Amino acid sequence: GSDAPMPQQTVVLTNPASTEQIRSMTTDSSGAFRFDRLTPGDYRVTLEVPDGFQRTNDVSMVLSVREAEPLSEVRFGISRRKP
């Protein structure tokens, strides 16, 4: 099965080592997010897993932003923890 989109989740953009936060944002009503106007370079994108949920795939990944290239699509997976 596939994971349903989740609105109102926090996504954080940091340097690749996760030592410096650059931006954070909340996903929209369809679970989408977009960091615009990034300087070319490498970034880590991380989903903050909410209480009561667990990850179903990676919740953090490093992306390379290059000039004149389309932005990468990132999909995180979380599901409710079973009691």
Side-chain angles (χ1 to χ4, degrees):
S2 83
D3 297 321
M6 293 203 41
Q8 303 303 306
Q9 301 306 306
T10 301
V11 181
V12 179
L13 185 72
T14 64
N15 65 330
S18 297
T19 56
E20 178 187 349
Q21 181 172 319
I22 298 164
R23 290 188 211 163
S24 72
M25 68 177 328
T26 303
T27 58
D28 67 16
S29 61
S30 66
F33 65 95
R34 181 181 180 128
F35 291 107
D36 289 321
R37 297 182 296 281
L38 294 176
T39 304
D42 294 335
Y43 299 89
R44 179 173 296 278
V45 182
T46 304
L47 173 71
E48 292 185 356
V49 179
D51 290 339
F53 285 79
Q54 62 190 4
R55 67 188 192 100
T56 59
N57 67 12
D58 290 338
V59 293
S60 181
M61 56 197 67
V62 174
L63 300 175
S64 293
V65 175
R66 303 288 176 245
E67 281 192 52
E69 286 187 14
L71 294 174
S72 300
E73 182 174 289
V74 176
R75 292 181 181 257
F76 297 113
I78 59 174
S79 65
R80 288 201 182 275
R81 283 202 176 118
K82 294 191 166 79

